[in-house]
Amino acid sequence: MKLSPLIPYIAIACSLMACERNPKKTGYELLPDMAHSMPYDAFAPNPVTRDGKTLQLPPPGSIPRGFLPYHYGNTPEEAERAGREVTNPIPVTPASLARGKKVYETFCSVCHGDQGKGDGPLIPKFPNPPSYTSKKVQDYPEGRLFHIITQGSGMMASYASQISPEDRWKVVQYVQTLQHPHPVEVAK
Ligand code: HEC
């Protein structure tokens, strides 16, 4: 379709129509409903609601969509309990391992090293983390690995705000492939 060459002139004429010499007057508004919206603005006072605010707090106990509540505190006892009780909900597939590797290389390998030996480029500026194949870490169940990423561990910070629960599980799966010569069973 060929646009009429008059369109720019019509547009300029329309904008000029909105101008007004008297600064006290707003001039002609083409679509007033868009400038002055009918609903209350999110942060405007509101005479209808009980607390006088437009934006309402979610009812106590609400859980945001896609959010997984996590009821394990930041102590070694809780890490152990998570190891006993928390299990991986995500099937291990080549795609999940590839994603886990990518997230691992983004967040973990700076300290833990590409192979998880505790020799990443940030060492020795940051204390040496244990190797994933050390006896202690190798024996950790999947839930405990998930817990460590979620809550942190000793000097290591929590990654809960940077890595979604789903991606945390994929990192756990990938870490397990670094820990064991015959990795976790991969679904076809
Ligand atoms: C800034 C450096 C740093 C980064 C980044 C980091 N870690 Fe660590 N990590 C450490 C240190 C240091 C320790 C030893 C903690 C301690 O016991 O004080 C550790 C410990 C661990 C342990 C063993 C905990 C234990 O109980 O001995 C695991 C498993 C682990 N990290 C996994 C990860 C994973 C997975 C990531 C990425 C999501 C990650 N770490 C990112 C520094 C880091």
Side-chain angles (χ1 to χ4, degrees), residues 119-182:
D119 58 354
L122 218 61
I123 309 304
K125 289 207 182 80
F126 201 80
N128 220 173
S131 164
Y132 291 150
T133 48
S134 65
K135 179 82 187 86
K136 179 180 88 162
V137 183
Q138 204 167 30
D139 285 346
Y140 282 169
E142 56 186 15
R144 184 149 190 179
L145 295 175
F146 181 83
H147 179 92
I148 292 166
I149 308 175
T150 307
Q151 288 287 15
S153 168
M155 292 285 296
M156 181 186 139
S158 150
Y159 283 82
S161 61
Q162 282 125 303
I163 308 178
S164 69
E166 196 179 321
D167 275 353
R168 273 176 248 157
W169 278 117
K170 292 176 183 170
V171 173
V172 169
Q173 294 174 2
Y174 180 67
V175 166
Q176 288 181 313
T177 67
L178 296 176
Q179 288 182 308
H180 305 283
H182 298 295

Side-chain angles (χ1 to χ4, degrees), residues 31-95:
L31 297 167
D33 280 358
M34 285 181 75
H36 312 281
S37 71
M38 296 289 285
Y40 289 105
D41 288 336
F43 293 101
N46 193 313
V48 180
T49 56
R50 269 189 218 134
D51 61 357
K53 294 176 186 163
T54 298
L55 205 60
Q56 294 289 289
L57 285 173
S62 345
I63 297 170
R65 202 176 266 254
F67 177 84
L68 207 63
Y70 190 71
H71 300 297
Y72 298 84
N74 184 6
T75 61
E77 298 75 46
E78 288 286 273
E80 224 178 297
R81 188 165 75 88
R84 285 194 306 271
E85 298 174 359
V86 181
T87 51
N88 174 20
I90 294 174
V92 183
T93 61

